[in-house]
Amino acid sequence: MMTCVDGKTYLNRINRLGNNVWIDGKPVSGNISDHPAFSGVMSSQAKLYDLQRQPDLLDSLTFISSKTGQRVPMSYLEPKSKADLSRRSLAFQIRARYHGGMMGRSPDYMNTVVMAFAACAEFFGNPKGIENMRRYYDFCQGNDISLTHTFINPQTNRSAIHFDNADDPIAARMIAQNDQGIVIHGARLLATQGGITDEIMVFPTGAFHFDQGYAYAFCIPSNTPGLKFLSRESFDYGKSIFDHPLGARFEETDSIVVFDHVIVPWDRVFLHGDTETASKLYSESGFIPHQVHHVTSKNIVKIEFILGIIQSMIDSINIGEYQHIQEKTAKVIISLETLKALLTAAETHASLDRWGTMTPDRKPLLAAMNIFPRIYPRLIEIIQLIGASGLVSIPGAKDFSSAQGADLRKYLQGTDRDGYEKVKLFRLAWDLSLSAFAGRQTLYERFFFGDPVRLAGTLYREYDRAEYVTRIKEFLAEKNE
Ligand SMILES: Cc1cc2nc3c(=O)[nH]c(=O)nc-3n(C[C@H](O)[C@H](O)[C@H](O)COP(=O)(O)OP(=O)(O)OC[C@H]3O[C@@H](n4cnc5c(N)ncnc54)[C@H](O)[C@@H]3O)c2cc1C
């Protein structure tokens, strides 16, 4: 028995929802999976759903739920042992190989977030919220639901002493409660894949806010009345996979999310009005270790993908003998091994948390979460430095099939391949380092975990250094005999 849905079911489900999505000044009408801005990524998302039903991958990507006896995605497995954690990271990596780590909202990411919050549901502190969170986990798992999330407020005024207008807020605020649920009005910024998922998770920003109106956590269907997704322009230009090897497949648009008096039914509310719990939701719940465990697994695959591209470029123009090329490649290798070591350390030193979930060690994961946003832009710069003009000498598929094709194959040939194959490789490197898709990927990796400056602050606050201070005290206490 399976509850893992296939790609077709995912596509039909989202099409049927008829989510209120706007792009290029117009609402999306008809099947959203046919819209040029979304068709590429939705087809890739569908392939990810199909992957988990592939017979040879079934045992790696799914497990049998003890509750329902059905096969569900591995990302829903609440880990009880270190072996469970390894099963999870292996599944994340197998899936990430399909997209080279380019899809931040591959469904296993949000499944992990739902699992993490359900496993520590008691953290929500109110009996109804606890029950709702657990029930929501069962619902998502039982129906293999796709989700997006929005955790941050619009960038209107980031001063610490800024107050929004409570009656006509910009940042989405709980403006009322009634017998149906809580009423949310205002906007959230932003949701990657907003509008092309079944559901959306809307959780607090994590910053302390005195106003109870901002202390809420809920999940609702993407087609809830009053909910709108305002998408940025798409960087999928409808080109072939040869021309835009990444953008044509993995372009996850980002949306501003607008709530126009949206009613969130009570059974979907996990938290409301509790400012203290809202401010500690990320730092003290099981969210961060499981989220970063997932993302670090994905990021390892992303660096492997980059390394594969870099080595192929080096081979194709025969520059491996130069020391600076070796040094730059070594930087990529060191980054890869660093992340792999941090993931291994997090799993090896995992322990049961207070809710009985086997939780990866936070310390190496906090290090990984601080390192990756800093090294990713450098890895992309290395691709540019190695590729040089090869990254712009990249005629498209139409040029190759034109009367000039023979010249292009000849004059753009590399050491080990003809012009067509070399350009195919360099177009991939371009789409990872120079295109609009590439620019958005770099911004995404810089900010995905949050503002890197404040992330470093979290590490500073959380990392226990008392023992080392004591050691220095003892060292300084030594006297001349
Ligand atoms: C491509 C992309 C996709 C994203 N997808 C999602 C998504 O799907 N869901 C989601 O919830 N979020 C998403 N995000 C948002 C991401 O979590 C935020 O970008 C990140 O948390 C930083 O917040 P901000 O963008 O509002 O920047 P801001 O907080 O506005 O920061 C802007 C600048 O001001 C500085 N600054 C602001 N406040 C402070 C302060 N208190 N102390 C020190 N410096 C400060 C920052 O360091 C930064 O340099 C996405 C972001 C990007 C770029």
Side-chain angles (χ1 to χ4, degrees), residues 105 149-152 155 158 190 192 444 447 450-451 454:
R105 294 296 169 277
H149 69 69
T150 176
F151 291 176
I152 63 162
Q155 223 179 14
R158 290 284 192 251
L190 74 164
T192 296
Y444 177 83
F447 284 102
D451 170 21
R454 278 168 279 169

Side-chain angles (χ1 to χ4, degrees), residues 319-328:
I319 51 173
E321 69 201 71
Y322 303 115
Q323 259 188 349
H324 81 97
I325 298 290
Q326 295 171 7
E327 188 256 329
K328 289 181 172 77

Side-chain angles (χ1 to χ4, degrees), residues 10 40-46 48 95-96 98-109 192-193 196 249-252 294 298 302 437 440-441 444-445:
Y10 152 75
V41 69
M42 288 186 76
S43 143
S44 296
Q45 189 94 309
L48 282 171
R95 292 170 67 97
Y98 167 70
H99 50 81
M102 299 297 141
M103 284 178 70
R105 294 296 169 277
S106 147
D108 49 337
Y109 169 70
T192 296
Q193 282 208 17
I196 58 168
R249 284 184 271 195
F250 310 123
E251 155 64 345
E252 301 171 291
H294 172 277
K298 184 266 290 174
K302 198 162 189 170
F437 176 88
R440 186 263 173 201
Q441 281 280 323
Y444 177 83
E445 296 301 359

Side-chain angles (χ1 to χ4, degrees), residues 168-195:
D168 186 18
I170 292 173
R173 184 173 181 276
M174 186 168 59
I175 56 164
Q177 298 178 27
N178 58 35
D179 52 355
Q180 289 171 277
I182 58 174
V183 183
I184 304 289
H185 189 67
R188 274 298 182 101
L189 181 110
L190 74 164
T192 296
Q193 282 208 17

